[in-house]
Amino acid sequence: MAMQTDVLSAHVDATGTMVTGRNRLKGYQCVSGGTAGEIVFRDDGATGTVRLRFNIGTGTQPIGLLLPGEGILFYTDIHVTLPASAKATIFYG
């Protein structure tokens, strides 16, 4: 039987570390702010291992996904690189 864990959230309006410490990314919601580009989630800062990468268009509709299973494990921190004007909210635990 799987244990229930608390799910937390974090939000950023610019590139940076969203959460420090070992955590699992369980889902995200992103908005482009009108600028197309790539969103990259890395483990261990701006030059760390890429754990998730996807493209967004210029539309201002939110893009979200709940990740299957236990999510993606980040060993050091969850860092996101965003295009100009983009915003991201993550769900982690």
Side-chain angles (χ1 to χ4, degrees):
M1 173 183 250
M3 281 183 72
Q4 174 65 40
T5 60
D6 290 334
V7 176
L8 304 169
S9 66
H11 178 80
V12 293
D13 294 334
T15 294
T17 297
M18 298 186 76
V19 179
T20 59
R22 179 183 166 112
N23 282 288
R24 290 186 178 272
L25 178 64
K26 298 187 176 269
Y28 62 83
Q29 184 176 27
C30 302
V31 176
S32 78
T35 303
E38 186 174 70
I39 294 182
V40 182
F41 288 98
R42 295 178 189 268
D43 189 357
D44 199 18
T47 60
T49 303
V50 174
R51 299 279 184 221
L52 176 65
R53 176 190 313 249
F54 57 93
N55 294 313
I56 59 173
T58 58
T60 56
Q61 296 298 325
I63 300 166
L65 180 67
L66 293 176
L67 298 171
E70 295 297 316
I72 300 172
L73 179 60
F74 288 72
Y75 294 94
T76 306
D77 60 32
I78 301 175
H79 181 279
V80 66
T81 303
L82 297 171
S85 302
K87 299 169 181 23
T89 299
I90 63 168
F91 305 99
Y92 68 97

